Amino acid sequence: LRSMAEELRGTEPRRFANAYSPGIQEYVEARTLYHFIACGSLLLPADLEKSMGFDSPAGYMSVDLWLVDYLLGIGDLSGELMRLAINSAASGDCDAPFYLRDFVRELERYLALIDIRSVPGRGLGSKYRTLRTTLAKMETACNTITLRGSEIPSHMLKDMFTASTDMNESADF
């Protein structure tokens, strides 16, 4: 980010957005995942933006965080949380998938309040649909734990979730 901030200094902030927007989205995904694991809450844009600034000999520099990049990064976060839920269940922690599912459910609820057509940029509708698919998979996993958790050894849960996820994905075609 530091080299990006140096390179972008003095330019119109959105001029090169298509070149660096995917990287910012990945940064949002990584930082929000780390914050969620460490603190159990969503890292808000204002707090995230603080981590995107640097002191330099030429003064303070930063990379702007645009709302659309934040929202697209949050959309990617749901997939990481699903993987965390499945890995938690596979390692014997059958409470984590429910907590993670509830958190993704809240993300979906808040994103549903946004008129996606009014947000500039591309991809938000697709990310929102992916988030909803991820949430459905997490719901299935939690239902499986509730209904069959006592009869399936914890070391086999991951394989079962992976198989049911693969079957859900192939059913879309």
Side-chain angles (χ1 to χ4, degrees):
L1 284 177
R2 180 183 302 271
S3 63
M4 187 186 314
E6 290 171 353
E7 202 168 315
L8 291 172
R9 187 165 25 125
T11 66
E12 196 317 58
R14 290 306 277 179
R15 182 173 176 197
F16 302 106
N18 288 340
Y20 68 84
S21 180
I24 297 298
Q25 294 168 33
E26 291 297 318
Y27 181 76
V28 169
E29 177 186 4
R31 290 290 302 208
T32 55
L33 178 62
Y34 175 81
H35 182 83
F36 179 80
I37 290 170
C39 304
S41 62
L42 182 63
L43 183 61
L44 300 177
D47 296 323
L48 181 61
E49 205 163 22
K50 291 175 188 172
S51 72
M52 298 172 73
F54 309 94
D55 288 321
S56 76
Y60 184 78
M61 308 181 279
S62 68
V63 176
D64 291 331
L65 176 62
W66 298 90
L67 177 62
V68 69
D69 290 333
Y70 178 78
L71 293 173
L72 289 167
I74 294 301
D76 290 337
L77 173 67
S78 66
E80 294 302 322
L81 294 175
M82 180 182 71
R83 279 186 275 289
L84 181 60
I86 290 170
N87 288 332
S88 295
S91 66
D93 180 0
C94 289
D95 293 327
F98 292 92
Y99 175 71
L100 293 165
R101 179 219 41 207
D102 292 346
F103 183 77
V104 172
R105 190 183 283 162
E106 284 296 305
L107 286 179
E108 191 274 334
R109 189 171 70 96
Y110 287 117
L111 289 175
L113 298 174
I114 298 171
D115 180 8
I116 292 172
R117 296 171 305 224
S118 69
V119 178
R122 298 179 299 262
L124 193 54
S126 173
K127 295 275 180 150
Y128 179 69
R129 285 187 295 279
T130 301
L131 184 142
R132 292 186 67 193
T133 301
T134 297
L135 179 58
K137 292 174 185 178
M138 293 175 84
E139 296 280 3
T140 300
C142 289
N143 289 340
T144 300
I145 291 170
T146 300
L147 297 174
R148 301 188 61 204
S150 63
E151 62 190 53
I152 299 170
S154 63
H155 68 279
M156 294 177 68
L157 284 174
K158 183 176 182 180
D159 294 334
M160 188 176 70
F161 292 145
T162 303
S164 73
T165 298
D166 292 343
M167 286 178 15
N168 287 341
E169 287 173 357
S170 63
D172 292 339
F173 294 105

